[in-house]
Amino acid sequence: MISDNQLLRNLDKLHTTKLGRIRIKHNLSLTNRDAIAFCKEKILNPEAIMNRKGKNWYVKIDHIIVTINANSFTVITAHTEG
């Protein structure tokens, strides 16, 4: 999809806030992993399903949902489904 390419083309802009990094690590139980590197890996997975709804991108992969602001490419949160 063309809209998927927008997220992939701007993957180098992906970032989060200090609190976002803490939230993502907590929600996904990432102890020694970089939260943004982890999210990038998930987004780049060919099986990832990317949808844009309003101002956010939602990427679903491996029972994880990553929420990204479509304008600033800020990872807002990531959590497990369910």
Side-chain angles (χ1 to χ4, degrees):
M1 294 172 74
I2 293 170
S3 58
D4 288 347
N5 291 336
Q6 179 188 8
L7 178 59
L8 295 175
R9 278 194 312 265
N10 290 287
L11 205 57
D12 61 319
K13 296 179 183 176
L14 204 67
H15 67 283
T16 193
T17 63
K18 183 177 180 179
L19 290 176
R21 190 174 311 277
I22 293 167
R23 183 172 46 252
I24 294 163
K25 289 180 98 170
H26 173 3
N27 289 350
L28 300 179
S29 301
L30 302 176
T31 53
N32 295 322
R33 297 276 322 257
D34 179 305
I36 292 300
F38 180 84
C39 290
K40 283 182 181 180
E41 287 174 23
K42 294 299 179 185
I43 293 167
L44 288 171
N45 186 313
E47 295 181 19
I49 299 169
M50 294 178 244
N51 293 304
R52 182 172 175 175
K53 293 182 187 174
K55 64 178 183 174
N56 293 330
W57 284 98
Y58 298 91
V59 180
K60 295 182 182 181
I61 182 73
D62 298 333
H63 304 290
I64 293 172
I65 302 172
V66 181
T67 305
I68 305 156
N69 180 283
N71 295 316
S72 65
F73 299 100
T74 304
V75 179
I76 299 164
T77 191
H79 56 85
T80 56
E81 283 185 292

